[in-house]
Amino acid sequence: MVATHDLNDQALTLALTDEHRMLRDAVRDFAQKEIVPIAAEYDESGDFPLDTIRKMGEMGLMGIEVPEEYGGAGMDALSYVLTMIEVAKADASHSTIVSVNNSLYCHGLMKFGTEEQKQRFLVPVASGEKIGAYSLTEPMSGSDAGTMQSRAVLNDAGTHYRINGRKSWVTSGPVADYIILFTLTEPEQKHKGVSAFMIDTSLPGFIRGKKEPKLGIRASATSEIIFEDYDCPVENLLGKPGDGFKIAMTVLDAGRIGIAAQALGIAEAAYEASIQYAREREAFGGPIGQFQMIQQKIADMKTRIEASRLLIYNAVLAKERAKKDGGRYTLEASMAKLFASETATYVTDEAVQIHGGMGYSKEVPVERYYRDARITRIYEGTSEIQRVVIARNELGLR
Ligand code: CAA
Protein backbone atom coordinates (compact mmCIF):
# COMPACT_ATOMS: atom_id res chain seq x y z
CA MET A 1 0.00 0.00 0.00
CA VAL A 2 1.15 3.56 -0.58
CA ALA A 3 -0.07 6.84 0.88
CA THR A 4 -2.76 8.18 -1.44
CA HIS A 5 -2.56 11.89 -0.68
CA ASP A 6 -0.18 14.08 1.24
CA LEU A 7 -2.44 15.75 3.78
CA ASN A 8 0.29 18.26 4.55
CA ASP A 9 0.01 19.64 1.09
CA GLN A 10 -3.63 20.52 0.75
CA ALA A 11 -6.19 22.86 2.24
CA LEU A 12 -9.69 21.66 3.02
CA THR A 13 -11.93 23.22 0.39
CA LEU A 14 -15.41 21.88 0.87
CA ALA A 15 -18.41 24.14 0.64
CA LEU A 16 -22.01 23.18 1.24
CA THR A 17 -24.14 24.20 -1.74
CA ASP A 18 -27.82 25.19 -1.49
CA GLU A 19 -28.65 21.61 -2.61
CA HIS A 20 -26.60 20.17 0.25
CA ARG A 21 -28.37 22.41 2.76
CA MET A 22 -31.79 21.53 1.35
CA LEU A 23 -31.00 17.84 1.50
CA ARG A 24 -29.61 18.07 5.03
CA ASP A 25 -32.64 20.01 6.24
CA ALA A 26 -35.08 17.62 4.57
CA VAL A 27 -33.35 14.57 6.06
CA ARG A 28 -33.17 16.24 9.48
CA ASP A 29 -36.85 17.11 9.35
CA PHE A 30 -37.81 13.56 8.34
CA ALA A 31 -35.49 11.92 10.88
CA GLN A 32 -36.63 14.09 13.78
CA LYS A 33 -40.34 13.75 12.95
CA GLU A 34 -40.53 10.12 11.80
CA ILE A 35 -37.56 8.26 13.25
CA VAL A 36 -36.94 9.83 16.68
CA PRO A 37 -40.46 8.96 17.97
CA ILE A 38 -40.06 5.24 17.11
CA ALA A 39 -36.36 4.73 17.84
CA ALA A 40 -36.69 3.54 21.46
CA GLU A 41 -39.54 1.16 20.65
CA TYR A 42 -37.63 -0.48 17.78
CA ASP A 43 -34.49 -0.64 19.91
CA GLU A 44 -36.48 -2.52 22.53
CA SER A 45 -38.24 -4.91 20.14
CA GLY A 46 -35.34 -5.38 17.71
CA ASP A 47 -37.84 -5.28 14.84
CA PHE A 48 -36.68 -4.10 11.43
CA PRO A 49 -38.09 -0.60 10.70
CA LEU A 50 -39.35 -1.41 7.20
CA ASP A 51 -41.85 1.48 6.94
CA THR A 52 -39.33 4.24 7.59
CA ILE A 53 -36.73 2.54 5.40
CA ARG A 54 -39.26 2.44 2.55
CA LYS A 55 -40.01 6.14 3.06
CA MET A 56 -36.28 6.91 2.95
CA GLY A 57 -36.16 4.96 -0.31
CA GLU A 58 -38.87 7.23 -1.71
CA MET A 59 -36.76 10.23 -0.65
CA GLY A 60 -33.79 8.85 -2.64
CA LEU A 61 -31.75 8.05 0.46
CA MET A 62 -31.07 4.38 -0.29
CA GLY A 63 -28.94 5.09 -3.36
CA ILE A 64 -27.67 8.61 -2.79
CA GLU A 65 -24.58 8.54 -5.03
CA VAL A 66 -26.11 6.24 -7.63
CA PRO A 67 -26.95 8.04 -10.92
CA GLU A 68 -30.64 8.60 -11.54
CA GLU A 69 -30.66 6.25 -14.55
CA TYR A 70 -29.88 3.41 -12.12
CA GLY A 71 -32.61 4.34 -9.64
CA GLY A 72 -30.50 6.54 -7.34
CA ALA A 73 -30.51 10.20 -6.40
CA GLY A 74 -27.38 11.16 -8.39
CA MET A 75 -25.87 13.16 -5.54
CA ASP A 76 -22.27 13.36 -4.28
CA ALA A 77 -20.17 11.94 -1.44
CA LEU A 78 -20.87 14.95 0.80
CA SER A 79 -24.63 14.43 0.37
CA TYR A 80 -24.21 10.86 1.56
CA VAL A 81 -22.26 11.95 4.64
CA LEU A 82 -24.74 14.71 5.51
CA THR A 83 -27.58 12.19 5.25
CA MET A 84 -25.79 9.63 7.41
CA ILE A 85 -25.11 12.21 10.14
CA GLU A 86 -28.75 13.31 10.32
CA VAL A 87 -30.16 9.78 10.26
CA ALA A 88 -27.66 8.53 12.88
CA LYS A 89 -28.47 11.50 15.09
CA ALA A 90 -32.06 10.28 15.17
CA ASP A 91 -31.32 6.56 15.34
CA ALA A 92 -28.12 4.61 14.69
CA SER A 93 -30.00 1.46 13.61
CA HIS A 94 -31.63 3.26 10.70
CA SER A 95 -28.27 4.71 9.68
CA THR A 96 -26.64 1.27 9.66
CA ILE A 97 -29.25 0.04 7.19
CA VAL A 98 -28.81 3.18 5.04
CA SER A 99 -25.03 2.80 5.17
CA VAL A 100 -24.83 -0.83 4.05
CA ASN A 101 -27.41 -0.29 1.31
CA ASN A 102 -25.58 2.77 -0.03
CA SER A 103 -21.88 2.38 0.43
CA LEU A 104 -21.32 -1.36 0.60
CA TYR A 105 -23.99 -2.68 -1.76
CA CYS A 106 -24.79 0.12 -4.26
CA HIS A 107 -21.25 1.46 -4.36
CA GLY A 108 -19.87 -2.03 -5.04
CA LEU A 109 -22.27 -2.64 -7.91
CA MET A 110 -21.75 0.82 -9.41
CA LYS A 111 -18.01 0.34 -9.43
CA PHE A 112 -17.72 -3.30 -10.43
CA GLY A 113 -21.06 -4.39 -11.92
CA THR A 114 -21.79 -5.02 -15.59
CA GLU A 115 -24.65 -3.14 -17.24
CA GLU A 116 -26.89 -6.22 -16.91
CA GLN A 117 -25.98 -6.60 -13.23
CA LYS A 118 -26.73 -2.93 -12.61
CA GLN A 119 -30.12 -3.19 -14.28
CA ARG A 120 -31.07 -6.31 -12.35
CA PHE A 121 -29.45 -5.80 -8.94
CA LEU A 122 -28.79 -2.07 -8.58
CA VAL A 123 -31.92 -0.33 -9.86
CA PRO A 124 -34.37 -1.95 -7.38
CA VAL A 125 -32.02 -1.47 -4.40
CA ALA A 126 -30.90 2.10 -5.15
CA SER A 127 -34.56 3.09 -5.53
CA GLY A 128 -35.36 1.58 -2.11
CA GLU A 129 -37.77 -1.01 -3.47
CA LYS A 130 -35.46 -3.88 -2.42
CA ILE A 131 -32.79 -4.18 0.29
CA GLY A 132 -29.13 -4.92 -0.32
CA ALA A 133 -26.42 -6.40 1.92
CA TYR A 134 -22.70 -7.24 1.89
CA SER A 135 -21.24 -10.45 3.24
CA LEU A 136 -17.52 -10.88 3.89
CA THR A 137 -17.16 -12.09 7.50
CA GLU A 138 -17.34 -15.74 8.57
CA PRO A 139 -17.42 -17.32 12.02
CA MET A 140 -13.63 -17.98 11.81
CA SER A 141 -12.68 -15.04 9.60
CA GLY A 142 -13.24 -11.46 10.75
CA SER A 143 -10.34 -9.00 10.71
CA ASP A 144 -8.24 -11.52 8.75
CA ALA A 145 -10.73 -11.33 5.93
CA GLY A 146 -8.72 -13.38 3.42
CA THR A 147 -8.97 -16.60 5.44
CA MET A 148 -12.53 -17.59 4.68
CA GLN A 149 -13.75 -21.18 4.48
CA SER A 150 -16.86 -20.91 2.30
CA ARG A 151 -16.42 -22.14 -1.25
CA ALA A 152 -17.80 -21.60 -4.76
CA VAL A 153 -17.06 -24.35 -7.27
CA LEU A 154 -17.70 -23.94 -10.99
CA ASN A 155 -19.72 -26.80 -12.52
CA ASP A 156 -18.39 -28.81 -15.47
CA ALA A 157 -20.70 -27.05 -17.90
CA GLY A 158 -19.30 -23.69 -16.75
CA THR A 159 -22.78 -22.30 -16.18
CA HIS A 160 -23.05 -22.13 -12.38
CA TYR A 161 -20.95 -21.82 -9.25
CA ARG A 162 -22.14 -24.10 -6.46
CA ILE A 163 -21.73 -22.21 -3.17
CA ASN A 164 -21.47 -23.82 0.27
CA GLY A 165 -20.59 -22.28 3.61
CA ARG A 166 -21.62 -20.05 6.46
CA LYS A 167 -21.24 -16.28 6.69
CA SER A 168 -21.78 -14.21 9.83
CA TRP A 169 -22.57 -10.69 11.00
CA VAL A 170 -24.47 -9.81 7.85
CA THR A 171 -26.15 -6.45 8.32
CA SER A 172 -29.72 -6.69 6.95
CA GLY A 173 -29.12 -10.45 6.49
CA PRO A 174 -32.60 -11.36 7.78
CA VAL A 175 -34.32 -9.12 5.22
CA ALA A 176 -31.96 -8.57 2.28
CA ASP A 177 -33.24 -9.33 -1.21
CA TYR A 178 -29.78 -9.27 -2.77
CA ILE A 179 -26.31 -9.68 -1.27
CA ILE A 180 -22.77 -9.10 -2.50
CA LEU A 181 -21.05 -12.27 -1.30
CA PHE A 182 -17.32 -12.90 -1.01
CA THR A 183 -16.23 -16.51 -1.10
CA LEU A 184 -13.26 -18.62 -2.20
CA THR A 185 -13.11 -19.98 -5.73
CA GLU A 186 -9.37 -20.84 -5.59
CA PRO A 187 -8.68 -21.75 -1.94
CA GLU A 188 -4.94 -22.39 -2.42
CA GLN A 189 -4.47 -18.81 -3.63
CA LYS A 190 -5.65 -17.29 -0.32
CA HIS A 191 -6.88 -13.70 -0.82
CA LYS A 192 -6.17 -13.86 -4.56
CA GLY A 193 -8.64 -16.76 -4.71
CA VAL A 194 -11.58 -14.79 -3.34
CA SER A 195 -14.39 -13.99 -5.79
CA ALA A 196 -17.48 -11.80 -5.45
CA PHE A 197 -21.00 -12.90 -6.39
CA MET A 198 -24.39 -11.28 -6.62
CA ILE A 199 -26.72 -13.41 -4.55
CA ASP A 200 -30.46 -13.51 -5.15
CA THR A 201 -31.78 -14.60 -1.75
CA SER A 202 -34.98 -16.03 -3.24
CA LEU A 203 -33.09 -18.90 -4.92
CA PRO A 204 -32.91 -22.40 -3.38
CA GLY A 205 -29.93 -23.13 -1.13
CA PHE A 206 -29.95 -19.70 0.53
CA ILE A 207 -30.84 -19.95 4.22
CA ARG A 208 -31.12 -17.15 6.75
CA GLY A 209 -29.45 -18.20 10.00
CA LYS A 210 -29.79 -17.05 13.58
CA LYS A 211 -30.41 -13.38 14.22
CA GLU A 212 -27.76 -11.85 16.49
CA PRO A 213 -28.98 -10.55 19.85
CA LYS A 214 -26.96 -7.35 19.94
CA LEU A 215 -25.92 -4.77 22.56
CA GLY A 216 -26.82 -1.84 20.28
CA ILE A 217 -28.13 -0.94 16.81
CA ARG A 218 -30.77 -3.52 17.73
CA ALA A 219 -33.27 -2.55 15.01
CA SER A 220 -30.67 -3.13 12.32
CA ALA A 221 -31.21 -6.84 11.74
CA THR A 222 -27.97 -8.84 11.70
CA SER A 223 -27.71 -12.55 11.05
CA GLU A 224 -25.75 -15.48 9.76
CA ILE A 225 -26.49 -16.64 6.25
CA ILE A 226 -25.94 -20.20 5.11
CA PHE A 227 -25.35 -21.57 1.63
CA GLU A 228 -26.26 -25.19 1.00
CA ASP A 229 -25.63 -26.17 -2.62
CA TYR A 230 -26.70 -22.71 -3.79
CA ASP A 231 -26.27 -22.55 -7.57
CA CYS A 232 -25.19 -19.09 -8.66
CA PRO A 233 -25.29 -18.40 -12.42
CA VAL A 234 -21.85 -17.38 -13.81
CA GLU A 235 -23.31 -14.10 -15.03
CA ASN A 236 -23.76 -13.12 -11.36
CA LEU A 237 -20.00 -13.12 -10.75
CA LEU A 238 -19.02 -9.54 -9.83
CA GLY A 239 -15.71 -8.66 -11.50
CA LYS A 240 -13.41 -11.50 -12.54
CA PRO A 241 -12.65 -14.70 -10.59
CA GLY A 242 -10.06 -13.76 -7.95
CA ASP A 243 -11.03 -10.05 -7.88
CA GLY A 244 -13.13 -10.51 -4.74
CA PHE A 245 -10.68 -9.42 -2.04
CA LYS A 246 -9.84 -6.17 -3.82
CA ILE A 247 -13.52 -5.50 -4.44
CA ALA A 248 -14.24 -6.13 -0.74
CA MET A 249 -11.48 -3.75 0.36
CA THR A 250 -12.33 -1.05 -2.19
CA VAL A 251 -15.96 -1.10 -1.11
CA LEU A 252 -14.99 -0.99 2.57
CA ASP A 253 -13.13 2.28 1.95
CA ALA A 254 -16.49 3.82 1.02
CA GLY A 255 -18.22 2.02 3.86
CA ARG A 256 -15.78 3.34 6.45
CA ILE A 257 -16.62 6.95 5.55
CA GLY A 258 -20.28 6.08 6.14
CA ILE A 259 -19.52 4.56 9.55
CA ALA A 260 -17.45 7.63 10.45
CA ALA A 261 -20.47 9.81 9.60
CA GLN A 262 -22.72 7.52 11.60
CA ALA A 263 -20.38 7.83 14.59
CA LEU A 264 -20.43 11.61 14.26
CA GLY A 265 -24.23 11.64 14.19
CA ILE A 266 -24.46 9.53 17.35
CA ALA A 267 -21.87 11.74 19.06
CA GLU A 268 -23.76 14.91 18.09
CA ALA A 269 -27.01 13.54 19.50
CA ALA A 270 -25.32 12.64 22.80
CA TYR A 271 -23.57 16.01 22.92
CA GLU A 272 -26.73 18.04 22.31
CA ALA A 273 -28.57 16.08 25.01
CA SER A 274 -25.67 16.80 27.39
CA ILE A 275 -25.70 20.54 26.68
CA GLN A 276 -29.42 20.69 27.39
CA TYR A 277 -29.05 18.65 30.57
CA ALA A 278 -26.09 20.72 31.80
CA ARG A 279 -28.21 23.85 31.41
CA GLU A 280 -31.32 22.46 33.11
CA ARG A 281 -30.11 20.10 35.84
CA GLU A 282 -29.36 21.89 39.07
CA ALA A 283 -27.00 20.81 41.87
CA PHE A 284 -25.23 22.70 44.65
CA GLY A 285 -27.35 25.78 44.00
CA GLY A 286 -27.16 26.12 40.20
CA PRO A 287 -27.12 24.39 36.80
CA ILE A 288 -24.39 21.75 36.62
CA GLY A 289 -23.01 23.46 33.49
CA GLN A 290 -21.48 26.11 35.73
CA PHE A 291 -19.05 23.57 37.19
CA GLN A 292 -15.65 23.30 35.58
CA MET A 293 -15.59 19.51 35.66
CA ILE A 294 -18.71 19.48 33.47
CA GLN A 295 -17.28 22.29 31.33
CA GLN A 296 -14.12 20.29 30.71
CA LYS A 297 -16.22 17.39 29.44
CA ILE A 298 -18.26 19.71 27.19
CA ALA A 299 -15.11 21.31 25.76
CA ASP A 300 -13.45 17.97 25.00
CA MET A 301 -16.64 16.48 23.54
CA LYS A 302 -17.15 19.47 21.23
CA THR A 303 -13.51 19.60 20.11
CA ARG A 304 -13.40 15.91 19.23
CA ILE A 305 -16.73 16.16 17.38
CA GLU A 306 -15.48 19.01 15.20
CA ALA A 307 -12.13 17.25 14.60
CA SER A 308 -14.09 14.18 13.46
CA ARG A 309 -16.12 16.32 11.07
CA LEU A 310 -12.94 17.70 9.48
CA LEU A 311 -11.48 14.22 9.00
CA ILE A 312 -14.76 13.07 7.47
CA TYR A 313 -14.87 16.06 5.12
CA ASN A 314 -11.24 15.34 4.21
CA ALA A 315 -12.24 11.76 3.34
CA VAL A 316 -15.18 13.07 1.28
CA LEU A 317 -12.78 15.25 -0.73
CA ALA A 318 -10.46 12.31 -1.27
CA LYS A 319 -13.39 10.14 -2.41
CA GLU A 320 -14.54 12.80 -4.90
CA ARG A 321 -10.96 13.09 -6.18
CA ALA A 322 -10.82 9.32 -6.55
CA LYS A 323 -13.99 9.37 -8.66
CA LYS A 324 -12.10 11.56 -11.13
CA ASP A 325 -8.59 10.09 -11.07
CA GLY A 326 -9.43 6.46 -10.18
CA GLY A 327 -7.13 6.62 -7.14
CA ARG A 328 -7.72 5.29 -3.64
CA TYR A 329 -8.81 7.05 -0.45
CA THR A 330 -8.01 4.21 1.94
CA LEU A 331 -5.90 6.35 4.29
CA GLU A 332 -8.43 9.17 4.57
CA ALA A 333 -11.35 6.77 5.11
CA SER A 334 -9.51 4.83 7.82
CA MET A 335 -8.41 7.97 9.67
CA ALA A 336 -11.95 9.35 9.63
CA LYS A 337 -13.45 6.04 10.79
CA LEU A 338 -10.86 5.55 13.52
CA PHE A 339 -11.15 9.02 14.99
CA ALA A 340 -14.92 9.45 14.64
CA SER A 341 -15.72 6.04 16.13
CA GLU A 342 -13.42 6.58 19.09
CA THR A 343 -14.96 10.03 19.51
CA ALA A 344 -18.46 8.54 19.51
CA THR A 345 -17.64 6.08 22.28
CA TYR A 346 -15.88 8.84 24.26
CA VAL A 347 -18.68 11.38 23.82
CA THR A 348 -21.50 8.96 24.61
CA ASP A 349 -19.65 7.75 27.71
CA GLU A 350 -19.23 11.33 28.95
CA ALA A 351 -22.87 12.04 28.08
CA VAL A 352 -23.95 9.20 30.39
CA GLN A 353 -21.65 10.63 33.09
CA ILE A 354 -23.08 14.15 32.75
CA HIS A 355 -26.61 12.73 33.01
CA GLY A 356 -25.67 10.73 36.13
CA GLY A 357 -28.36 8.22 37.12
CA MET A 358 -30.64 9.46 34.33
CA GLY A 359 -27.95 8.55 31.79
CA TYR A 360 -28.29 4.93 32.89
CA SER A 361 -32.06 4.93 32.47
CA LYS A 362 -34.01 3.89 29.38
CA GLU A 363 -36.23 6.92 29.99
CA VAL A 364 -33.77 9.10 28.07
CA PRO A 365 -32.00 8.12 24.83
CA VAL A 366 -28.47 8.67 26.13
CA GLU A 367 -28.05 5.04 27.24
CA ARG A 368 -29.05 3.95 23.71
CA TYR A 369 -26.49 6.29 22.16
CA TYR A 370 -23.87 4.74 24.47
CA ARG A 371 -24.75 1.19 23.38
CA ASP A 372 -25.10 2.12 19.70
CA ALA A 373 -21.77 3.97 19.52
CA ARG A 374 -19.80 0.91 20.59
CA ILE A 375 -20.22 -0.97 17.30
CA THR A 376 -18.61 1.82 15.29
CA ARG A 377 -15.22 0.80 16.72
CA ILE A 378 -15.78 -2.78 15.58
CA TYR A 379 -17.63 -3.19 12.29
CA GLU A 380 -16.25 -2.43 8.84
CA GLY A 381 -12.81 -2.88 10.40
CA THR A 382 -11.97 -2.53 14.08
CA SER A 383 -10.02 0.46 15.40
CA GLU A 384 -7.02 -1.86 15.54
CA ILE A 385 -7.40 -2.69 11.83
CA GLN A 386 -7.78 1.02 10.95
CA ARG A 387 -4.48 1.66 12.76
CA VAL A 388 -2.86 -1.18 10.78
CA VAL A 389 -4.15 0.31 7.52
CA ILE A 390 -2.99 3.83 8.43
CA ALA A 391 0.44 2.73 9.64
CA ARG A 392 1.06 0.45 6.63
CA ASN A 393 0.17 3.33 4.32
CA GLU A 394 2.56 5.63 6.11
CA LEU A 395 5.39 3.10 6.29
CA GLY A 396 4.87 1.90 2.73
CA LEU A 397 4.35 -1.66 4.02
CA ARG A 398 2.07 -4.43 2.88
N1 CAA B 1 -8.41 -1.03 -1.83
C1 CAA B 1 -7.99 -1.80 -2.88
N2 CAA B 1 -7.16 -2.85 -2.72
C2 CAA B 1 -6.74 -3.14 -1.48
C3 CAA B 1 -7.15 -2.39 -0.35
C4 CAA B 1 -8.03 -1.30 -0.56
N3 CAA B 1 -8.46 -0.54 0.46
N4 CAA B 1 -6.57 -2.92 0.76
C5 CAA B 1 -5.83 -3.96 0.35
N5 CAA B 1 -5.94 -4.08 -1.01
C6 CAA B 1 -5.26 -5.07 -1.86
C7 CAA B 1 -3.75 -4.97 -1.71
O1 CAA B 1 -3.22 -4.00 -2.59
C8 CAA B 1 -3.31 -6.37 -2.05
O2 CAA B 1 -3.31 -6.52 -3.46
P1 CAA B 1 -2.18 -7.43 -4.22
O3 CAA B 1 -2.35 -8.80 -3.69
O4 CAA B 1 -2.49 -7.28 -5.67
O5 CAA B 1 -0.86 -6.83 -3.87
C9 CAA B 1 -4.44 -7.23 -1.51
O6 CAA B 1 -5.57 -6.39 -1.40
C10 CAA B 1 -4.13 -7.82 -0.14
O7 CAA B 1 -3.81 -6.75 0.72
P2 CAA B 1 -3.06 -7.00 2.11
O8 CAA B 1 -1.83 -7.84 1.88
O9 CAA B 1 -2.88 -5.68 2.77
O10 CAA B 1 -4.12 -7.92 2.88
P3 CAA B 1 -4.16 -8.43 4.35
O11 CAA B 1 -4.60 -9.84 4.31
O12 CAA B 1 -2.89 -8.10 5.07
O13 CAA B 1 -5.39 -7.61 4.99
C11 CAA B 1 -6.50 -5.83 6.12
C12 CAA B 1 -5.42 -6.26 5.09
C13 CAA B 1 -6.46 -4.31 6.08
C14 CAA B 1 -6.18 -6.30 7.50
C15 CAA B 1 -7.87 -6.32 5.65
O14 CAA B 1 -7.96 -7.73 5.75
C16 CAA B 1 -9.03 -5.70 6.42
O15 CAA B 1 -9.43 -4.57 6.13
N6 CAA B 1 -9.59 -6.45 7.38
C17 CAA B 1 -10.83 -6.01 8.08
C18 CAA B 1 -12.03 -6.54 7.36
C19 CAA B 1 -13.28 -5.79 7.71
O16 CAA B 1 -13.31 -4.57 7.73
N7 CAA B 1 -14.35 -6.55 7.93
C20 CAA B 1 -15.65 -5.97 8.20
C21 CAA B 1 -16.64 -6.61 7.25
S1 CAA B 1 -18.11 -5.73 6.90
C22 CAA B 1 -18.99 -5.70 8.33
O17 CAA B 1 -18.50 -5.22 9.28
C23 CAA B 1 -20.39 -6.22 8.37
C24 CAA B 1 -21.43 -5.31 7.89
O18 CAA B 1 -22.40 -5.78 7.30
C25 CAA B 1 -21.39 -3.85 8.15
PDB file of all heavy atoms in Angstrom, residues 157 185 396:
ATOM      1  N   ALA A 157     -20.147 -27.747 -16.725  1.00  0.00           N
ATOM      2  CA  ALA A 157     -20.698 -27.049 -17.897  1.00  0.00           C
ATOM      3  C   ALA A 157     -20.282 -25.578 -17.922  1.00  0.00           C
ATOM      4  O   ALA A 157     -20.468 -24.878 -18.924  1.00  0.00           O
ATOM      5  CB  ALA A 157     -22.219 -27.167 -17.882  1.00  0.00           C
ATOM      6  N   THR A 185     -12.998 -19.118  -4.554  1.00  0.00           N
ATOM      7  CA  THR A 185     -13.115 -19.983  -5.733  1.00  0.00           C
ATOM      8  C   THR A 185     -11.798 -20.750  -5.947  1.00  0.00           C
ATOM      9  O   THR A 185     -11.795 -21.812  -6.539  1.00  0.00           O
ATOM     10  CB  THR A 185     -13.451 -19.159  -6.994  1.00  0.00           C
ATOM     11  OG1 THR A 185     -12.648 -17.975  -7.010  1.00  0.00           O
ATOM     12  CG2 THR A 185     -14.914 -18.759  -7.011  1.00  0.00           C
ATOM     13  N   GLY A 396       4.679   2.531   4.054  1.00  0.00           N
ATOM     14  CA  GLY A 396       4.873   1.904   2.734  1.00  0.00           C
ATOM     15  C   GLY A 396       4.962   0.402   2.817  1.00  0.00           C
ATOM     16  O   GLY A 396       5.645  -0.241   2.020  1.00  0.00           O
TER      17      GLY A 396
END
